[in-house]
Amino acid sequence: MRNLVVLGMAALMLAGCGGSNAMSGRRGPDEFAAARRAPLVVPPDFALVPPTPGAPRPQEADSSTQALQALFGGAAPRSTVERVTLGQAGTDRAAAGIRSSAGDPGTVVVDKGQVTRDIIAAPEGDGQDARAAVPGTPPR
């Protein structure tokens, strides 16, 4: 009896895999009924103006200037919040060439302490031979 039930269920599942949809009355899409559409047309660009006689050609400009303009787009307008924040930070009082003088040996800097000097003076390497030492405990 059990084999008969299993056989009947297998027959029902295989019947669902049939190629015709005579029971549902639906047909598949007709691939030959596709209609062709008109090609897209690019509208004319009315923003273009004719070149001025004697003016430099835009493609002959400095390539680095063109690259910077393409990447950053020139000076962007700042929002009110950004202007207020920069004003409170004191950007109007900063010297124009401050970044070039920050690395000068004569520039006075804040002393960061012995730990920072030890980190900077540490030998180069991959760190496999590194040892940690905690002050006040004997070394291992």
Side-chain angles (χ1 to χ4, degrees):
M1 181 73 178
R2 183 172 162 212
N3 290 339
L4 186 62
V5 172
V6 172
L7 187 61
M9 290 188 67
L12 282 176
M13 286 196 289
L14 282 175
C17 298
S20 68
N21 289 331
M23 294 179 71
S24 66
R26 289 183 289 161
R27 292 186 353 195
D30 186 9
E31 62 271 8
F32 296 108
R36 296 196 182 265
R37 296 183 184 207
L40 294 177
V41 177
V42 178
D45 189 4
F46 295 111
L48 293 176
V49 294
T52 314
R57 295 182 178 190
Q59 64 268 26
E60 291 179 3
D62 182 27
S63 61
S64 62
T65 306
Q66 284 181 343
L68 287 174
Q69 190 68 19
L71 287 172
F72 302 111
R78 298 187 187 277
S79 67
T80 307
V81 175
E82 192 175 5
R83 279 196 304 266
V84 169
T85 304
L86 289 172
Q88 289 177 352
T91 57
D92 54 344
R93 297 183 302 269
I98 190 65
R99 290 184 177 163
S100 61
S101 64
D104 185 24
T107 303
V108 179
V109 295
V110 177
D111 185 16
K112 298 289 184 179
Q114 184 62 35
V115 175
T116 305
R117 282 192 291 275
D118 291 344
I119 292 172
I120 293 173
E124 290 186 25
D126 57 5
Q128 290 182 354
D129 299 327
R131 300 286 181 262
V134 179
T137 60
R140 294 184 190 190

